Amino acid sequence: MDHSTSLSAPARRTRRIVIAGLAILGAAIAAFGPFGTVLRMLSMPLRRPGWHVFFGTFNGVALITVAVLPLAASTVWALARRRRAAGVTSAWRMSLAEVGIVYGTMPWVWIIMLPGDEAGAVVSLVPLRDLLAMDTGQVVGNLLVFAALGFLAPLRFAALASVPRVLALAAGCSVLVETAQYVLRLDRVSSVDDVLLNTAGAGLAALASRRWWRATATASSDGPRSAPVPGR
């Protein structure tokens, strides 16, 4: 008997979501170069250990992100187990989405909140001007900032099971980040093109997971509802 046919529909759906998420992770890694280059990048902070190297550099953040992957997986397992014990439907999908949103978004936000190399805070409000000067890595990086949010938020929250709503959420988050860069004087360019790319990345990710969240858009995202009390 084929094992895949013995899985329940929610289990098969969760497995497909995991596979799609791993594919996105692989694409993100590939964007930064060959596998050997990625390994050298991750090992670089270990050669010069220090709090600034680990927490204040791109390589350090990347290393920490990889190091906490087992913790993220354990958190998904613990949340799903607790929900299953409480009788919550789609426990694995909900837990995976919640942890995935945090794990897939925070490292990117952390990176873009690191101090830059501009001469003071710079604001660029002309659309497409900065985009034409970006290299491929910058474009891909900006697209991935809120990709996890766009991919997983509609799966977790029924109210966000809509591409326009995901776009609005991602745009709002991006504006907050760009504003924080300026207010905190991080020597970065607060650019409207960054907002456009961040938003587009979330929208594309939402489209990639649409086949799954459309099937569950009408389901409750907060667990089973109580039965209505019969009228007297």
Side-chain angles (χ1 to χ4, degrees):
M1 181 178 178
D2 186 359
H3 177 66
S4 60
T5 60
S6 65
L7 296 175
S8 63
R12 290 196 299 269
R13 186 160 53 244
T14 299
R15 185 178 65 176
R16 290 194 292 266
I17 293 171
V18 170
I19 293 175
L22 291 175
I24 293 175
L25 179 61
I29 293 175
F32 295 103
F35 187 69
T37 302
V38 175
L39 289 179
R40 288 194 297 272
M41 178 185 73
L42 294 176
S43 65
M44 193 175 300
L46 300 177
R47 303 172 190 171
R48 296 182 293 110
W51 73 267
H52 174 72
V53 175
F54 282 107
F55 298 99
T57 66
F58 174 85
N59 291 352
V61 175
L63 178 62
I64 292 174
T65 302
V66 173
V68 301
L69 180 57
L71 176 61
S74 299
T75 303
V76 172
W77 177 82
L79 287 174
R81 183 180 181 183
R82 181 177 181 181
R83 282 176 168 144
R84 285 174 65 95
V88 177
T89 58
S90 304
W92 280 99
R93 175 175 60 82
M94 294 170 60
S95 303
L96 178 64
E98 290 171 354
V99 176
I101 290 172
V102 177
Y103 182 80
T105 303
M106 289 305 298
W108 294 105
V109 174
W110 187 351
I111 288 171
I112 61 180
M113 291 300 293
L114 294 176
D117 54 5
E118 298 292 332
V122 180
V123 177
S124 178
L125 300 179
V126 181
L128 304 183
R129 184 175 66 183
D130 296 325
L131 179 61
L132 297 176
M134 293 182 186
D135 58 33
T136 302
Q138 289 175 309
V139 173
V140 173
N142 274 297
L143 289 173
L144 291 174
V145 171
F146 294 115
L149 178 68
F151 189 91
L152 295 170
L155 292 166
R156 174 59 183 89
F157 304 102
L160 293 175
S162 163
V163 173
R165 292 178 183 178
V166 170
L167 292 174
L169 175 62
C173 292
S174 183
V175 169
L176 287 176
V177 171
E178 296 297 314
T179 302
Q181 288 179 343
Y182 176 77
V183 172
L184 297 176
R185 301 291 176 176
L186 297 178
D187 295 334
R188 283 182 170 270
V189 178
S190 298
S191 173
V192 66
D193 286 344
D194 290 341
V195 175
L196 293 175
L197 287 173
N198 295 165
T199 304
L204 291 173
L207 289 174
S209 64
R210 188 180 184 186
R211 60 177 296 187
W212 298 299
W213 55 257
R214 284 195 66 181
T216 57
T218 58
S220 172
S221 62
D222 296 322
R225 297 179 180 176
S226 301
V229 178
R232 294 181 179 178

